């Protein structure tokens, strides 16, 4: 089954935007290392494509609700 799904196919299939760790860190105004720690600790839902963690937009929305993170538009 390896190689059947890639980031583009999953994004298109599920109609979800995926952020890289760097993008997600900028969105939240956090350090990239903090986001990597959260990923490693299982605190963020994420997917791995070609060895890189991708975080769905739903995690950003969840953090806005649960942690009262300010929206960065």
């Amino acid at each position: 089954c390896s190689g059947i799904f890639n980031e583009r196919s999953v994004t298109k299939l599920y109609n979800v935007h995926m952020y890289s760790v760097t993008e997600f860190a900028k969105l939240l105004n956090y350090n990239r290392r903090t986001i990597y720690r959260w990923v490693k600790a299982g605190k963020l839902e994420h997917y791995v494509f070609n060895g890189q963690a991708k975080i769905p937009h739903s995690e950003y929305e969840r953090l806005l609700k649960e942690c009262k993170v300010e929206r960065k538009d």
Side-chain angles (χ1 to χ4, degrees):
C1 290
S2 180
I4 292 175
F5 295 106
N6 60 33
E7 182 181 358
R8 186 174 295 160
S9 66
V10 170
T11 301
K12 191 173 185 177
L13 180 65
Y14 295 105
N15 194 25
V16 61
H17 181 76
M18 300 278 203
Y19 297 103
S20 68
V21 170
T22 300
E23 291 170 327
F24 202 73
K26 286 180 182 177
L27 192 63
L28 295 175
N29 201 26
Y30 276 78
N31 190 291
R32 278 184 22 235
R33 283 180 259 151
T34 300
I35 305 305
Y36 276 117
R37 281 195 297 270
W38 290 355
V39 165
K40 187 175 180 179
K43 294 181 178 181
L44 289 175
E45 179 183 348
H46 68 283
Y47 302 90
V48 178
F49 299 102
N50 298 321
Q52 295 189 350
K54 297 290 184 168
I55 304 161
H57 182 76
S58 60
E59 284 299 277
Y60 175 66
E61 294 294 331
R62 182 182 66 82
L63 289 175
L64 287 178
K65 290 178 187 173
E66 289 181 10
C67 303
K68 307 260 191 284
V69 174
E70 290 184 28
R71 184 179 292 271
K72 189 176 181 182
D73 293 323

